[in-house]
Amino acid sequence: MTKKRILTGDRPTGKLHLGHLVGSLQNRVKLQDTYEQFVMVADVQALTDNFDNPQKVRDNVKEVVLDYLAVGIDPQKTTIFIQSLIPEIAELTIYYLNLVTLERVLRNPTVKDEIKQKGYGKNIPAGFAMYPVSQAADITFCKASLVPVGEDQLPMIEQTREIVRRFNTLYGDVLVEPEALVGNIKRLPGTDGQAKMSKSIGNCIYLSDSVDEVNKKVMGMYTDPARVHPTDPGNPEGNPVFIYHDAFNLNKKEVEDFKVRYRTGKIGDIEIKKRLAEVINELLEPMRKRRKEYEDQPDKVDEILRSGNHRAQEVAKEVMAEVRKAMKIDYSL
Ligand code: ATP
Ligand code: MG
């Protein structure tokens, strides 16, 4: 029996952070045995809003791949590849653009938020506005049925499902309708208290941060702004320090105890933050080690990418042949 497929990926706009870990990476590590998994470094998508800084995208491709290997994505089980090396994805995007309206694309709430965050105003680059369509091509080029992502990506999966249904209705049953799989923590807030930890905002704890960097970032974290003294009653609800404890501290009794003492003004922020920094450093330590091992073997990393790209190209050719046939553009000239 052939395994079902997973497709997911990340934009090489920076190193990966704790948000990626809980949103998607943990699920990838867990599911790589049961699914045939494809993990894509989305350089084409990163260029949609970084076209004026290609060096940044180029440099971060390597960083993202090292992060994958560091968290335990196993290249023997998972196909790691680079988006731009699969031209079929670009080709599919062109065909899918016929199946969506401008109005529909601009209604996407995540795209709307990002347009606001990037301050595009009325000058939205067309490529950026269309990236959800390109993402539909990413997911479907290998007929993936499952997509492990953070909550901000749910509108993209919905859009993909619509495109798949429209394609299959018009041209015949070729594509697979994917489902999203959101991680335990749907959207990890930033260290600054903003709703989402994000590379583009810079409110991140990176998986590759050193012990000192983690300590510094955690000690500077946003907490309950209404609490001035350790004896003031504080609110753990929606407080990023507690959200991180819930996400990463395996000692649930300790976390509950912190919450009770915080609410009643019997513990200082410093004690809670110190413990959080410890917990995060314990979590990251094995990743730092594994990252270093691969950093020291650049040839091995190149080989992993070479064979990953090769495998993705094989699959892309197979699926593209079916798509071309269904769309009556399968010329044998
Ligand atoms: P950028 O700011 O360049 O968009 P990003 O930090 O949002 O970067 P992406 O590469 O866009 O990262 O996201 C990759 C994956 O990680 C997506 O599935 C996304 O939903 C998930 N993800 C990113 N940030 C978080 C977060 N804070 N919490 C949960 N999941 C997240
Ligand atoms: Mg993003």
Side-chain angles (χ1 to χ4, degrees):
M1 210 182 83
T2 52
K3 285 181 182 172
K4 287 191 169 181
R5 288 181 180 155
I6 283 180
L7 178 290
T8 184
D10 308 271
R11 297 149 41 88
T13 50
K15 295 177 171 186
L16 300 185
H17 52 63
L18 290 176
H20 297 111
L21 186 70
V22 293
S24 174
L25 296 171
Q26 283 174 340
N27 273 333
R28 301 180 201 178
V29 173
K30 201 164 70 192
L31 295 173
Q32 61 186 341
D33 291 303
T34 28
Y35 283 78
E36 183 184 4
Q37 178 162 259
F38 294 81
V39 172
M40 180 184 79
V41 186
D43 59 343
V44 176
Q45 189 183 119
L47 283 167
T48 61
D49 54 332
N50 293 278
F51 53 84
D52 52 353
N53 195 355
Q55 194 60 48
K56 170 178 151 187
V57 174
R58 180 62 182 259
D59 292 343
N60 279 304
V61 169
K62 204 184 85 206
E63 299 296 343
V64 168
V65 172
L66 286 171
D67 285 326
Y68 289 161
L69 298 167
V71 296
I73 291 180
D74 179 349
Q76 301 295 332
K77 299 175 184 166
T78 293
T79 299
I80 302 174
F81 70 98
I82 299 174
Q83 187 183 17
S84 62
L85 293 178
I86 311 298
E88 285 83 354
I89 292 178
E91 190 180 350
L92 280 176
T93 305
I94 296 283
Y95 302 140
Y96 292 173
L97 282 169
N98 298 329
L99 310 181
V100 293
T101 63
L102 282 177
E103 195 273 334
R104 172 65 184 91
V105 174
L106 293 172
R107 198 164 13 103
N108 183 313
T110 299
V111 174
K112 270 191 187 164
D113 281 354
E114 289 172 343
I115 286 171
K116 217 183 287 161
Q117 186 199 319
K118 291 172 202 301
Y120 285 143
K122 290 220 172 305
N123 301 313
I124 310 163
F128 182 78
M130 298 306 138
Y131 90 75
V133 180
S134 146
Q135 215 168 305
D138 303 336
I139 295 167
T140 53
F141 96 91
C142 63
K143 297 193 178 179
S145 56
L146 194 69
V147 192
V149 281
E151 192 186 37
D152 63 302
Q153 293 300 305
L154 292 180
M156 314 306 175
I157 312 301
E158 196 43 50
Q159 173 103 67
T160 302
R161 292 166 62 87
E162 285 173 31
I163 290 173
V164 167
R165 285 198 292 266
R166 192 140 163 74
F167 184 102
N168 286 348
T169 307
L170 285 167
Y171 305 125
D173 235 353
V174 172
L175 303 177
V176 171
E177 218 177 302
E179 272 177 45
L181 177 70
V182 175
N184 286 343
I185 308 286
K186 295 182 170 64
R187 188 182 303 229
L188 193 76
T191 50
D192 59 353
Q194 286 204 59
K196 181 172 174 273
M197 181 178 283
S198 163
K199 302 183 215 108
S200 301
I201 304 175
N203 53 3
C204 308
I205 295 177
Y206 295 99
L207 302 178
S208 49
D209 275 349
S210 66
V211 173
D212 287 348
E213 280 164 328
V214 169
N215 290 342
K216 203 166 142 232
K217 286 180 182 179
V218 171
M219 294 319 283
M221 269 182 76
Y222 177 94
T223 54
D224 180 351
R227 192 172 193 244
V228 184
H229 306 290
T231 48
D232 294 344
N235 186 9
E237 258 39 84
N239 183 329
V241 173
F242 282 95
I243 295 176
Y244 288 17
H245 263 295
D246 278 331
F248 305 112
N249 190 341
L250 301 176
N251 186 344
K252 299 297 163 207
K253 253 183 83 186
E254 180 181 51
V255 178
E256 283 320 303
D257 176 58
F258 281 164
K259 285 182 187 171
V260 171
R261 287 160 66 202
Y262 196 75
R263 280 200 191 91
T264 50
K266 292 204 171 71
I267 189 168
D269 280 35
I270 293 178
E271 187 182 337
I272 300 175
K273 285 180 170 177
K274 273 197 174 145
R275 181 69 188 121
L276 178 62
E278 257 172 40
V279 163
I280 294 176
N281 277 321
E282 271 167 35
L283 173 76
L284 298 186
E285 196 46 37
M287 300 182 197
R288 291 182 187 120
K289 279 216 185 80
R290 218 172 302 144
R291 196 179 215 277
K292 176 82 177 56
E293 278 168 29
Y294 281 105
E295 265 170 358
D296 292 343
Q297 304 175 78
D299 290 351
K300 193 167 171 183
V301 177
D302 282 352
E303 184 46 42
I304 288 168
L305 277 177
R306 204 172 304 123
S307 71
N309 288 321
H310 181 74
R311 171 73 189 132
Q313 279 157 2
E314 273 176 3
V315 172
K317 284 201 180 76
E318 283 166 23
V319 176
M320 206 61 220
E322 286 183 57
V323 166
R324 289 207 190 99
K325 187 155 182 267
M327 294 185 71
K328 308 210 179 298
I329 48 174
D330 57 331
Y331 308 104
S332 52
L333 295 170

